Amino acid sequence: MRAALFDRYGPPEVLYVGKRPTPTPAPGEVLVRVHVASVNGGELLDRAGKLRLVTGRTFPKTSGVDFVGEVAEVGSSVTGVREGDRVWGLLGRKTGSMAEYVAVRPRQIAPAPENLTPVQAISLLAGGATAVTALREKAVIKPGERLLVRGGSGGVGSVAVQIGKLFGAHVVALASAKNLDFVRGLGTDEALDYRTTRLSELGRFDVIVDTAGTHQSRFRRLLAPGGRMVAVTPDFDRLLPSLATILASTVHGSRRIRLFSGNPDTKLLTEITRYAEHGDIVPVVDTVHPLDRITDAHRALEAGGVRGKHIIQIT
């Protein structure tokens, strides 16, 4: 099968489309024919080598964590899943969805939204899982609380502002000037230019969802007493100081930063399916790329200023 691979850490140009054996589903697994996947921030860090202490130096490495596709084969002892089922899923802490096929456990998939195309659906999946986990499980956000979303136009932020409104928060989003109308269209209460807005002008927040990772100590000061800040990513260019700030916040003071690594299951994925089918969250597609142009997608995401997700068409 065709798959996105890289043989060394480096810039987007290290990516290429190569051949891998088509996986055979083990007992308790299903084989999914992948139609689309999306590029997520963690994959940029992985490819650049910023996670090498975890990912190691064994190559070639794969890419991609989310997918929408069709069940191609069902392994023994699997129930409740049939060949031909249209599903979406997340690999959790592994990669490999930028390929024609992926073998997964049933707990890693759920029925894909019936009202959306695969391209529309994949734009919501990873961001939706991250946003629900961040806001409900980590921040325990309450109706009426003030929520700040850094990176409100990105793949996670563009869904987080929608989930925040769904959970009853007053949502303020920071984004680039060219994307403010896009973010307002997602239902945010206030959309502000992150380049020109002074932090002193923002007021206090009960919850901050940080998709940028930079200047976390400065944004922490915007939390009201008892406020919670969820860091989707640390600052990998200043990793040790960033982790020190997060760790210190769990010990000192009432304004805490929470960092998490998601590993969603069928229950969470099904919840996001329901939100999508009810129109509670709407697709956020920036650009669709064929698999052999995955380098372009990584380059565009690294450049910033995106509106939603960069999608990779597999089959």
Side-chain angles (χ1 to χ4, degrees):
M1 67 174 184
R2 299 167 68 237
L5 305 169
F6 57 100
D7 294 330
R8 61 185 175 87
Y9 295 123
E13 288 72 24
V14 303
L15 290 162
Y16 67 95
V17 178
K19 293 288 188 178
R20 299 275 285 181
T22 300
T24 300
E29 291 185 334
V30 298
L31 183 69
V32 176
R33 180 182 296 109
V34 179
H35 296 323
V36 292
S38 77
V39 181
N40 296 279
E43 293 146 48
L44 306 187
L45 300 171
D46 184 13
R47 186 217 71 231
K50 293 185 178 182
L51 305 177
R52 70 183 71 194
L53 291 178
V54 176
T55 57
R57 290 186 172 276
T58 301
F59 295 97
K61 295 191 181 299
T62 57
S63 190
V65 297
D66 59 4
F67 58 90
V68 175
E70 178 183 320
V71 175
E73 186 177 346
V74 179
S76 62
S77 76
V78 174
T79 60
V81 182
R82 297 178 299 176
E83 290 186 18
D85 284 353
R86 185 168 174 261
V87 297
W88 65 355
L90 284 159
L91 299 183
R93 299 182 179 94
K94 299 193 300 183
T95 61
S97 67
M98 296 287 184
E100 292 178 316
Y101 293 89
V102 62
V104 295
R105 296 283 180 180
R107 68 174 299 276
Q108 296 174 291
I109 60 174
E114 294 183 357
N115 60 322
L116 300 181
T117 67
V119 166
Q120 291 172 326
I122 197 64
S123 75
L124 295 172
L125 183 54
T130 299
V132 171
T133 303
L135 290 172
R136 187 176 61 202
E137 306 302 327
K138 300 299 179 179
V140 195
I141 197 166
K142 301 176 182 64
E145 290 192 314
R146 294 192 81 225
L147 165 66
L148 176 66
V149 179
R150 294 188 67 195
S153 69
V156 173
S158 59
V159 187
V161 298
Q162 299 183 67
I163 297 293
K165 288 299 297 180
L166 181 64
F167 289 173
H170 177 94
V171 181
V172 180
L174 293 177
S176 62
K178 69 176 183 178
N179 288 332
L180 294 181
D181 286 342
F182 167 73
V183 176
R184 292 187 186 104
L186 299 175
T188 187
D189 295 287
E190 300 175 59
L192 303 172
D193 184 350
Y194 78 92
R195 290 189 179 92
T196 60
T197 302
R198 296 182 179 182
L199 297 189
S200 59
E201 300 171 349
L202 290 173
R204 298 292 181 180
F205 295 92
D206 302 290
V207 177
I208 297 174
V209 172
D210 178 21
T211 72
T214 57
H215 307 299
Q216 287 168 334
S217 59
R218 293 173 56 192
F219 279 88
R220 182 191 177 198
R221 298 188 191 108
L222 299 181
L223 290 173
R228 296 85 69 200
M229 178 173 170
V230 183
V232 174
T233 179
D235 184 352
F236 279 91
D237 291 327
R238 302 177 65 254
L239 183 58
L240 292 180
S242 178
L243 292 177
T245 296
I246 294 170
L247 180 61
S249 79
T250 67
V251 178
H252 302 289
S254 62
R255 301 172 179 89
R256 297 191 173 184
I257 303 176
R258 296 161 171 83
L259 181 67
F260 75 97
S261 175
N263 195 22
D265 58 13
T266 297
K267 181 179 179 181
L268 177 56
L269 300 178
T270 301
E271 180 179 357
I272 301 167
T273 298
R274 185 170 65 252
Y275 291 154
E277 290 182 339
H278 291 174
D280 295 323
I281 53 176
V282 299
V284 283
V285 178
D286 186 303
T287 308
V288 181
H289 310 261
L291 179 59
D292 59 7
R293 303 301 294 269
I294 188 172
T295 295
D296 293 344
H298 272 237
R299 191 181 296 115
L301 190 56
E302 282 190 339
V306 300
R307 296 186 177 187
K309 298 304 290 284
H310 281 267
I311 313 300
I312 304 298
Q313 189 87 47
I314 310 292
T315 58

